Amino acid sequence: MASKADTAALIKQANGTEIDPNKYTQANLTALLPLAQKGDADRTEFDAKLAEFDKSIADAAASAVAVQATPLERPITVRVNDAMAEYGGEFTDPESHSTIGKDAVTVESTGFVAEKLRSRELIEER
C-alpha cells in the first residue's frame, strides 16, 4: 500500500495538482488518484471530488469548534444520600475537585458526578 505522500505525488504527476497529504485521509487520496489519472480532459470530476472532500474537512473542523465552544453540561446541585450523610460521608470529585457531603452544593456535571447519581450515592437537589 502506498503512503499518503506517495499517493499525493502520484496525483501531482497525473494532473499537476499539488495536494497536502496531511490534510486528507488515505481513502480520500486513493479515491482522487484514478480521477487524476484521467488527466485534464476530464478534470471536472476530479475537481468536484476534491471540493467535496474539502467541504467535509471544513464542516468537521467547524463542528469541532462548535462542540468546544458549547458547555458540556449544566451545573447540578447534589448531596450524598441520607445513609451516607448520617455517617458524615463525603466525596471529592477527582475531575472538578469539588467536595460533596451532607449539605447540597452546586457542582459541575462531570462523569464522576453522573456515576454517583446512577449508583444513588448522590442525590440531586432541585
Side-chain angles (χ1 to χ4, degrees):
M1 175 185 255
S3 71
K4 290 181 357 175
D6 292 340
T7 307
L10 289 171
I11 291 170
K12 183 175 181 179
Q13 182 182 3
N15 74 359
T17 303
E18 193 159 329
I19 291 183
D20 179 2
N22 298 318
K23 184 177 176 183
Y24 302 94
T25 66
Q26 182 62 47
N28 292 154
L29 296 171
T30 301
L32 288 170
L33 182 57
L35 300 175
Q37 290 171 334
K38 290 181 179 180
D40 286 335
D42 194 13
R43 179 74 186 233
T44 308
E45 192 176 355
F46 174 85
D47 290 339
K49 186 57 87 173
L50 185 60
E52 176 186 322
F53 291 149
D54 286 341
K55 182 179 180 336
S56 176
I57 291 167
D59 290 349
S63 176
V65 168
V67 167
Q68 289 175 351
T70 305
L72 295 177
E73 293 287 332
R74 63 176 172 78
I76 187 170
T77 303
V78 294
R79 65 176 177 82
V80 296
N81 67 34
D82 294 334
M84 292 180 78
E86 194 174 306
Y87 294 101
E90 64 182 27
F91 293 107
T92 300
D93 184 338
E95 296 172 53
S96 69
H97 305 290
S98 301
T99 301
I100 305 166
K102 69 177 181 165
D103 296 323
V105 292
T106 301
V107 297
E108 296 174 39
S109 184
T110 64
F112 175 83
V113 171
E115 180 179 325
K116 295 299 182 187
L117 284 167
R118 280 191 297 273
S119 69
R120 297 195 172 129
E121 293 173 276
L122 292 181
I123 298 170
E124 183 175 5
E125 293 288 313
R126 296 180 193 246

